[in-house]
Amino acid sequence: MTVTEYNTCVKNYADSVFRFIYKNIKDEEKAKDIVQDTFVKMWVKVDDIIAEKAKSYLFTAAYNTMIDAIRKDKYKANYEDHYDDYLTTHNTFNDLKEIINLAFSKLNETQRSVVMLRDYEGYSYDEIGKITGLNESQVKVYIYRARLSMKKFIGSYENVV
């Protein structure tokens, strides 16, 4: 990959990578750091990357960098305080987007990632598998379970409206 191809890759995919990371971790500054780290990793291996596969490499590197950051922060966070929030859903909402985002936030990191890659970024199951390191059937199972979990959380349409 040449420097020009690298710069084109940054220009074309930086926003998509940021959206993908930000939607998963909900922290703008951390998402910016992860995106920056991802492009640094890509720059270090710029000679080894084929330009046609740069997007796939970029999302794979971003996903792995995000997982590393989540694991690192996991030791710092105390999730016991939030356990009760996970079990109760007695809030009243007027905004459908808010409900969907809350349901989405209840998914585990793998489910969030595969749903984001499939529904927001438009990747195929095979491409998602390559990015996340899962096989195609695992990707389908994660997406199915994530959608089922969101459906269960949201409930019926009458409860939303």
Side-chain angles (χ1 to χ4, degrees):
M1 172 183 273
T2 65
V3 173
T4 305
E5 291 170 332
Y6 175 82
N7 290 334
T8 302
C9 184
V10 171
K11 179 182 169 189
N12 291 340
Y13 304 124
D15 290 337
S16 297
V17 172
F18 174 77
R19 281 192 315 270
F20 169 65
I21 299 298
Y22 180 69
K23 189 71 173 178
N24 278 293
I25 62 173
K26 305 279 191 273
D27 183 347
E28 187 175 350
E29 293 303 315
K30 188 170 288 203
K32 287 178 182 178
D33 289 342
I34 290 171
V35 171
Q36 184 174 5
D37 290 345
T38 302
F39 279 108
V40 168
K41 288 178 183 179
M42 190 174 188
W43 179 252
V44 169
K45 295 190 176 210
V46 73
D47 294 330
D48 301 333
I49 300 170
I50 300 168
E52 292 78 27
K53 297 190 178 199
K55 182 178 179 183
S56 177
Y57 176 86
L58 184 61
F59 273 89
T60 302
Y63 174 79
N64 290 332
T65 305
M66 177 186 70
I67 295 299
D68 290 344
I70 289 170
R71 287 180 181 155
K72 184 175 134 184
D73 292 343
K74 195 174 197 177
Y75 294 108
K76 297 177 186 175
N78 183 2
Y79 291 112
E80 293 176 321
D81 298 339
H82 302 292
Y83 186 72
D84 291 336
D85 293 343
Y86 182 78
L87 296 176
T88 59
T89 58
H90 300 294
N91 300 327
T92 56
F93 297 98
N94 294 328
D95 188 13
L96 183 58
K97 184 178 179 182
E98 186 179 340
I99 297 167
I100 292 171
N101 285 338
L102 183 59
F104 190 75
S105 70
K106 301 295 182 185
L107 300 175
N108 68 44
E109 61 206 37
T110 305
Q111 289 175 333
R112 267 195 311 268
S113 297
V114 296
V115 168
M116 280 291 300
L117 289 170
R118 178 70 179 168
D119 295 338
Y120 286 94
E121 300 298 331
Y123 281 100
S124 69
Y125 294 120
D126 185 49
E127 292 171 321
I128 295 169
K130 289 177 184 172
I131 290 170
T132 59
L134 303 169
N135 66 42
E136 189 173 335
S137 62
Q138 288 174 313
V139 170
K140 289 178 182 179
V141 168
Y142 276 114
I143 290 173
Y144 171 76
R145 289 180 180 165
R147 290 177 178 164
L148 191 64
S149 175
M150 289 180 70
K151 181 179 176 182
K152 184 178 178 183
F153 179 83
I154 293 170
S156 68
Y157 181 73
E158 291 79 24
N159 292 337
V160 176
V161 176

